[in-house]
Amino acid sequence: MQAWVIGNWKQNPATSHDVNALMDDLLTAVTAEESTRAGTAKHCQLMIAPSCIHMAAASARLQGSSVLCAAQDISAHSATTGAYTGDCSAQQVTDAGAIWTLIGHSERRQYHQESHDLLVQKLDNGLKQNLGIVLCIGETQAQYDAEQTFDVLDEQLAVIKELLEQQANQQSGQQSAAPSDVAVTLSERLIIAYEPVWAIGTGKVPTVAEVSATHKYIKQTISSFAAPLSTVSVLYGGSVNADNADSFAADSMIDGALVGGASLKAESFLAIAEAFNRAKT
Ligand code: 13P
């Protein structure tokens, strides 16, 4: 299975000048690595998620490279246009070069009070514009300490079940329609990123065994919604760096990484990608 390493730049870098410098470093290293590799298979797909303001410039620079571009978020209110000040729609980020979008990042849930219903709408809007969706989920420190991780994940993953039911109903007009064809489409456009909130930007990480067991649970849960979802990749995020990437990459349940801080330097980002590339042969 192909691995994914995705760089979530969050509200970084500060200026267009700094974005260009990071893109220079990234593209120089990717080009050099690809010419060394020449002909040998690559097992890791790279993607970056710049902030909305830098998306068009970053994606223009990625033209012709193997690196994909994602948005960090999309509007819940409209997939296209409308009176929603401050929002960027799925159509607009697609036009700016995004192929995928993150949704449900814990920072959006925490600072923007993103609800379950809102995320169902975002999922729906993204799919309407043929975007791939990276759905971020994960428990807080208090929930982890109270051993509520799986309960929290159940609640957060329920948006997928709801979307499947909603779409199947729209297609058939019947309440009890089997969502299998919708599920096949979704299975090709969905990635789950498990990011324990307490591991984000803290340097604290769960053990590989813990992540592995949680990913197994996520895979079982989404497969129970619809069999085609058994092929969906599940990535780990939270303080992934060049030093710990090998240990995560070695586990068969961990299909890649969603990287924050370490994605802001080409060297560490590509070292993480290389760890997954080596492990997933
Ligand atoms: P860090 O890698 O900085 O912990 O951030 C993880 C994250 O939130 C990626 O979405």
Side-chain angles (χ1 to χ4, degrees):
M1 195 177 190
Q2 174 197 258
W4 293 83
V5 171
I6 306 174
N8 176 9
W9 289 3
K10 308 191 178 183
Q11 197 172 286
N12 299 293
T15 64
S16 305
H17 177 269
D18 295 346
V19 169
N20 266 320
L22 178 51
M23 293 302 297
D24 284 344
D25 290 350
L26 192 62
L27 289 171
T28 304
V30 167
T31 309
E33 192 264 343
E34 280 173 1
S35 67
T36 318
R37 186 182 301 281
T40 58
K42 199 171 169 190
H43 307 283
C44 180
Q45 175 65 56
L46 278 178
M47 184 149 75
I48 55 165
S51 68
C52 217
I53 192 80
H54 295 134
M55 174 104 55
S59 70
R61 296 218 40 201
L62 292 176
Q63 289 296 315
S65 90
S66 59
V67 184
L68 302 177
C69 194
Q72 295 177 12
D73 188 41
I74 51 170
S75 174
H77 304 294
S78 166
T80 56
T81 55
Y84 305 107
T85 301
D87 274 17
C88 284
S89 73
Q91 183 181 32
Q92 289 172 321
V93 300
T94 304
D95 182 59
I99 312 276
W100 288 76
T101 184
L102 311 185
I103 63 167
H105 193 281
S106 64
E107 288 149 14
R108 302 283 322 167
R109 294 179 194 259
Q110 182 183 355
Y111 301 121
H112 301 267
Q113 285 76 46
E114 293 203 344
S115 67
H116 177 93
D117 290 346
L118 195 92
L119 288 171
V120 176
Q121 284 174 297
K122 288 190 180 193
L123 200 46
D124 190 33
N125 285 344
L127 293 174
K128 275 187 186 137
Q129 294 293 327
N130 298 319
L131 280 169
I133 310 279
V134 182
L135 173 66
C136 305
I137 57 173
E139 81 286 358
T140 62
Q141 180 77 64
Q143 290 162 336
Y144 175 79
D145 291 342
E147 299 183 1
Q148 292 169 342
T149 298
F150 288 0
D151 296 335
V152 172
L153 299 184
D154 280 344
E155 265 177 49
Q156 294 175 338
L157 288 169
V159 297
I160 297 169
K161 192 173 185 202
E162 205 165 305
L163 191 274
L164 284 172
E165 288 168 357
Q166 192 176 297
Q167 296 224 338
N169 290 342
Q170 276 165 15
Q171 284 193 0
S172 70
Q174 290 169 19
Q175 208 60 24
S176 58
S180 57
D181 50 342
V182 182
V184 170
T185 307
L186 187 59
S187 70
E188 290 159 3
R189 303 231 188 101
L190 182 67
I191 291 175
I192 306 291
Y194 169 58
E195 300 198 296
V197 180
W198 52 273
I200 296 177
T202 58
K204 286 198 287 184
V205 287
T207 64
V208 174
E210 281 179 298
V211 177
S212 185
T214 305
H215 282 205
K216 188 172 179 191
Y217 182 76
I218 293 168
K219 286 172 190 247
Q220 282 169 348
T221 303
I222 59 175
S223 303
S224 77
F225 299 159
L229 298 185
S230 64
T231 59
V232 167
S233 295
V234 181
L235 318 187
Y236 169 72
S239 297
V240 178
N241 58 39
D243 295 329
N244 62 22
D246 277 313
S247 62
F248 289 119
D251 191 278
S252 64
M253 286 288 148
I254 304 176
D255 304 320
L258 180 55
V259 186
S263 72
L264 296 172
K265 291 262 184 295
E267 195 183 354
S268 44
F269 185 53
L270 293 176
I272 295 166
E274 191 44 38
F276 278 90
N277 199 39
R278 271 195 306 274
K280 306 294 181 188
T281 50

